[in-house]
Amino acid sequence: MIFDILTLLPEVCRAYGKASILGRAQKAGLIELRLTNVRDFAFDRHRTVDDYPYGGGDGMVMKVEPLVAALESLPGKPKPRIILMSPAGRPFDQQLAAELASLERLVLICGRYEGIDERVRKLAVDQEISVGDYVLSGGELPALTVVDAVSRLIPGVLGGEGSAASDSFSDGLLEHPHYTRPDEFRGLKVPEVLLSGNHVAIARWRQKESLRRTWLRRPELLERLELTDQERDLLAEVKAEQGQGQP
Ligand code: SAH
């Protein structure tokens, strides 16, 4: 899968893309992260990429010409989905990550300043994505968030680092807690069942703790799910253990 990021800060994106899972995925040829510096497409003497907003007010706006020129400089194939990072976009979640993971190529546009000239959106953008109801200083962290979450879902990317299938949200639930050695630390013991070697019991414990976490922390996630009989039984046990009533 190919990701093209359009940004004024390519070095920020490059650093993250080189590290850890994304770095290995690039070396293995599973993903390609390409960076385009929008400033390279500002053709005036001062290489200006921003200007004052029409109508007045604080802050600067990213100009339309460099962004459109940068977009038009990209290869046309494979045909990308062109995405603008924006607080006004569709909230990003695991389901949207899975949808995007089925595509061959994404182009991710990072705004800076007060945002980008609206005409970029009208001329070129297929979709706007927000990473949450807060405002960041630029679209780089949101774009890298999308690249990271989508890449994890591409077969082979996670390799030995666990499977995306058991991650939080992939089945609509939060993931169960994890433990590693030592088996006791400052009086806190690892739950007995995890040391038992009984894989059926371990799977049951994990499923139950996943349900417990979700019920206690994000009950609205449970409302959207159709639970299996086994999950319903486990959730009933959890509720009895926690005491009836609201989480
Ligand atoms: N004035 C704008 C915010 C500009 S922040 C507003 O009030 O909506 C500058 C850039 O950061 C934006 O153009 C966008 O690309 C990016 N950005 C900031 N917060 C974001 C978020 N929650 N999700 C996605 N992109 C975001």
Side-chain angles (χ1 to χ4, degrees), residues 84-87 109-116 129-139 142:
L84 172 64
M85 309 321 299
S86 159
I109 304 173
C110 305
R112 278 267 146 189
Y113 316 110
E114 284 305 316
I116 68 171
I129 294 180
S130 164
V131 292
D133 291 344
Y134 42 81
V135 177
L136 297 163
S137 310

Side-chain angles (χ1 to χ4, degrees), residues 150-211:
V150 170
S151 295
R152 290 173 67 81
L153 298 174
I154 295 170
V157 166
L158 281 188
E161 308 225 9
S163 115
S166 72
D167 274 345
S168 291
F169 308 113
S170 53
D171 58 359
L173 298 173
L174 301 180
E175 203 187 33
H176 56 78
H178 295 282
Y179 293 90
T180 183
R181 287 185 289 182
D183 61 7
E184 183 172 344
F185 183 72
R186 298 195 181 166
L188 294 176
K189 288 189 178 155
V190 173
E192 204 72 46
V193 58
L194 297 180
L195 310 175
S196 69
N198 179 341
H199 295 294
V200 175
I202 291 170
R204 185 180 185 281
W205 181 87
R206 287 184 168 157
Q207 193 175 25
K208 183 170 168 182
E209 295 313 311
S210 168
L211 286 160

Side-chain angles (χ1 to χ4, degrees), residues 91-95 169 171-173 214 218-227:
F92 190 56
D93 60 12
Q94 196 67 18
Q95 191 193 325
F169 308 113
D171 58 359
L173 298 173
T214 311
R218 299 289 302 277
E220 83 280 7
L221 293 178
L222 279 177
E223 278 156 27
R224 290 187 220 146
L225 290 178
E226 286 227 21
L227 297 183

Side-chain angles (χ1 to χ4, degrees), residues 13-229:
C13 303
R14 189 170 299 117
Y16 190 75
K18 266 202 229 158
S20 187
I21 292 177
L22 292 187
R24 276 200 301 280
Q26 287 200 74
K27 280 206 183 116
L30 295 166
I31 63 167
E32 192 183 340
L33 182 59
R34 302 192 297 211
L35 303 168
T36 299
N37 190 341
V38 176
R39 199 173 290 281
D40 293 343
F41 296 87
F43 295 118
D44 68 312
R45 207 153 51 87
H46 303 290
R47 302 219 295 162
T48 314
V49 290
D50 60 321
D51 207 339
Y52 294 98
Y54 276 121
D58 288 336
M60 302 295 274
V61 176
M62 271 179 91
K63 288 167 68 63
V64 60
E65 305 98 313
L67 274 167
V68 167
L71 280 168
E72 287 175 350
S73 79
L74 299 174
K77 289 187 181 157
K79 192 174 171 2
R81 180 177 297 183
I82 301 181
I83 296 171
L84 172 64
M85 309 321 299
S86 159
R90 170 169 163 191
F92 190 56
D93 60 12
Q94 196 67 18
Q95 191 193 325
L96 180 48
E99 277 172 48
L100 297 178
S102 69
L103 303 177
E104 275 183 286
R105 179 174 167 216
L106 305 181
V107 171
L108 302 160
I109 304 173
C110 305
R112 278 267 146 189
Y113 316 110
E114 284 305 316
I116 68 171
D117 188 301
E118 182 68 6
R119 287 165 292 188
V120 177
R121 189 179 68 73
K122 290 197 169 152
L123 284 170
V125 170
D126 298 315
Q127 181 170 35
E128 291 175 73
I129 294 180
S130 164
V131 292
D133 291 344
Y134 42 81
V135 177
L136 297 163
S137 310
E140 286 74 18
L141 291 173
L144 290 169
T145 300
V146 170
V147 171
D148 191 312
V150 170
S151 295
R152 290 173 67 81
L153 298 174
I154 295 170
V157 166
L158 281 188
E161 308 225 9
S163 115
S166 72
D167 274 345
S168 291
F169 308 113
S170 53
D171 58 359
L173 298 173
L174 301 180
E175 203 187 33
H176 56 78
H178 295 282
Y179 293 90
T180 183
R181 287 185 289 182
D183 61 7
E184 183 172 344
F185 183 72
R186 298 195 181 166
L188 294 176
K189 288 189 178 155
V190 173
E192 204 72 46
V193 58
L194 297 180
L195 310 175
S196 69
N198 179 341
H199 295 294
V200 175
I202 291 170
R204 185 180 185 281
W205 181 87
R206 287 184 168 157
Q207 193 175 25
K208 183 170 168 182
E209 295 313 311
S210 168
L211 286 160
R212 187 192 311 275
R213 254 201 181 166
T214 311
W215 184 62
L216 288 174
R217 299 184 186 191
R218 299 289 302 277
E220 83 280 7
L221 293 178
L222 279 177
E223 278 156 27
R224 290 187 220 146
L225 290 178
E226 286 227 21
L227 297 183
T228 63
D229 288 347

